């Protein structure tokens, strides 16, 4: 039977039997297992090469399941779930006693999200439980935004990859911590910070460094979302200098830019990134994967704009970059 399909019945059978299924979400594809089966969740960690203390997000159908997984749920959580679920928002809450250390990394907190992708939403409604589902890629590598990306990572080692087409958001969910006195932005993502702050009528604390966050959450390591080809990032002027230097040395250089420019000296191939943050986010991982196939010795990426609308993009670029220029 084909690894890639849209067979929800087979997906349910596999998940209930403790097997892995790759699922589409509006953000990125996830590698899913029944969050109530620690042995099944352990298969995620083994296949990804993920550290055992790195928590995973539990995906649920909607806010009606919040109390199955979390306790002492503040009013802010209900308001955020009502406004942004299903959608690209993960809430960090105190876990119920029965929630396994396998999904929490041994912490007293759990991350919960109700994804908006119609195929996975239908799966979750039928599953009537929670799916632990980090991104469906080797730990630290560029996240997948198509079923083909997942297959390129794992092949037939994943029994089933549900094909939901290209992800429409393209970067991971926003993570908001709700276990302290003040809600905090732990990871920028698909839901803009400003939309959350407008809803709550307050400014979110923002822990830009993982070491300053009170809890460990997905995707906050300094190096993450990274292509295997070295990715160097800087302003266009610095990119131009580096492209010329490396081209003169005989290296194969790819330049990824958003500013209008002619082909740079020394560049083997130039690629224009979108000029709008939503489109840029949607294309970022797919572009990095496309240029990470061994055709180039180095990828040079022009630094994205630094305005608030680009917060999630800049977070992912910062963690994917191996060296800053300029």
């Amino acid at each position: 039977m084909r690894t890639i399909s849209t067979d929800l019945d087979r997906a349910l059978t596999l998940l209930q039997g403790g097997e892995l299924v790759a699922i589409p979400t509006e953000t990125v594809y996830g590698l899913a297992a029944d969050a109530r089966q620690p042995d099944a969740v352990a298969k995620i960690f083994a296949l990804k090469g993920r550290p055992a203390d790195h928590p995973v997000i539990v995906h649920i159908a909607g806010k009606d399941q919040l109390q199955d997984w979390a306790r002492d749920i503040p009013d802010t959580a209900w308001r955020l779930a009502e406004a942004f679920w299903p959608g690209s928002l993960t809430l960090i809450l105190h876990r119920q006693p029965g929630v396994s250390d396998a999904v929490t990394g041994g912490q007293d907190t759990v991350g919960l999200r109700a994804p908006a992708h119609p195929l996975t939403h239908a799966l979750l409604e039928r599953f009537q439980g929670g799916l632990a589902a980090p991104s469906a890629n080797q730990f630290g590598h560029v996240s997948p935004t198509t079923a083909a990306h997942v297959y390129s990572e794992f092949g037939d080692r994943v029994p089933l990859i549900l094909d939901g087409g290209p992800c429409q958001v393209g970067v991971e969910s926003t993570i908001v911590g709700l276990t302290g006195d003040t809600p905090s932005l732990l990871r920028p993502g698909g839901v803009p910070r400003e939309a959350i702050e407008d809803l709550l009528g307050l400014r979110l604390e923002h822990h830009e460094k993982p070491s300053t966050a009170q809890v460990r959450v997905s995707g906050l390591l300094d190096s993450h979302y990274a292509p295997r080809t070295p990715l160097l990032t800087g302003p266009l002027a610095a990119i131009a200098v580096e492209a010329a230097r490396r081209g003169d040395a005989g290296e194969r250089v790819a330049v990824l830019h958003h500013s209008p420019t002619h082909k740079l000296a020394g560049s083997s191939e130039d690629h224009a990134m979108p000029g709008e943050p939503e489109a840029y986010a949607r294309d970022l991982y797919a572009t990095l994967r496309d240029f990470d196939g061994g055709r180039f010795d180095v990828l040079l990426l022009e630094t994205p704009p630094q305005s608030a609308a680009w917060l999630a993009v800049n977070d992912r670029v910062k963690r994917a970059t191996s060296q800053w220029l300029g």
Side-chain angles (χ1 to χ4, degrees):
M1 188 175 295
R2 288 181 56 83
T3 300
I4 300 177
S5 81
T6 57
D7 190 343
L8 286 185
D9 290 333
R10 185 169 174 235
L12 280 169
T13 298
L14 287 166
L15 290 165
Q16 290 164 351
E19 297 298 333
L20 302 181
V21 173
I23 58 172
T25 78
E26 72 280 16
T27 58
V28 300
Y29 274 69
L31 188 60
D34 185 349
R36 295 291 191 193
Q37 297 189 48
D39 288 345
V41 176
K43 293 178 181 179
I44 297 175
F45 284 78
L47 187 57
K48 283 177 60 72
R50 187 181 179 94
D53 65 349
H54 205 59
V56 294
I57 294 167
V58 176
H59 295 67
I60 57 180
K63 65 181 187 300
D64 291 345
Q65 290 178 280
L66 266 175
Q67 291 176 308
D68 296 340
W69 299 91
R71 72 179 197 281
D72 303 328
I73 303 171
D75 177 65
T76 50
W78 296 108
R79 292 169 62 194
L80 289 170
E82 178 68 29
F84 297 113
W85 281 5
S88 308
L89 178 66
T90 294
L91 304 179
I92 304 297
L93 298 162
H94 291 293
R95 71 176 183 176
Q96 287 284 10
V99 177
S100 170
D101 285 347
V103 298
T104 67
Q107 300 177 110
D108 189 42
T109 56
V110 62
L112 299 170
R113 179 165 96 88
H117 193 287
L119 189 63
T120 292
H121 183 70
L123 175 67
L124 285 163
E125 286 193 317
R126 293 177 61 181
F127 186 68
Q128 297 184 337
L131 295 178
S135 56
N137 54 284
Q138 294 288 341
F139 184 70
H141 191 215
V142 180
S143 299
T145 55
T146 69
H149 291 163
V150 181
Y151 191 82
S152 73
E153 289 275 330
F154 300 121
D156 294 328
R157 289 180 291 168
V158 179
L160 177 64
I161 301 170
L162 282 178
D163 189 355
C167 299
Q168 294 304 300
V169 174
V171 295
E172 292 78 3
S173 61
T174 303
I175 300 180
V176 172
L178 296 173
T179 58
D181 294 333
T182 304
S184 58
L185 177 65
L186 297 175
R187 181 181 73 183
V191 175
R193 173 181 185 168
E194 294 75 18
I196 297 168
E197 292 177 337
D198 287 347
L199 177 77
L200 298 181
L202 53 80
R203 185 166 178 80
L204 298 174
E205 295 181 358
H206 186 196
H207 300 285
E208 295 189 13
K209 285 287 187 181
S211 59
T212 64
Q214 295 179 347
V215 295
R216 298 188 308 278
V217 299
S218 296
L220 281 192
L221 297 181
D222 285 338
S223 178
H224 219 80
Y225 318 115
R228 296 183 174 96
T229 306
L231 177 68
L232 281 60
T233 303
L236 189 59
I239 293 293
V241 171
E242 189 72 10
R245 184 182 72 82
R246 289 178 176 264
D248 287 345
E251 294 190 39
R252 298 165 298 169
V253 179
V255 173
L256 313 177
H257 60 89
H258 63 271
S259 300
T261 184
H262 299 293
K263 187 174 185 297
L264 300 182
S267 170
S268 304
E269 185 173 339
D270 285 15
H271 177 80
M273 298 293 290
E276 296 298 322
E278 293 83 4
Y280 194 110
R282 186 168 57 248
D283 290 356
L284 175 60
Y285 290 154
T287 301
L288 290 179
R289 281 181 167 271
D290 182 43
F291 282 85
D292 193 29
R295 293 182 291 141
F296 302 100
D297 298 303
V298 65
L299 311 180
L300 303 180
L301 174 69
E302 181 187 3
T303 308
Q306 298 300 300
S307 65
W310 292 80
L311 182 62
V313 165
N314 277 295
D315 176 81
R316 302 314 189 271
V317 167
K318 177 182 70 175
R319 300 183 197 282
T321 294
S322 53
Q323 181 181 339
W324 292 87
L325 302 172

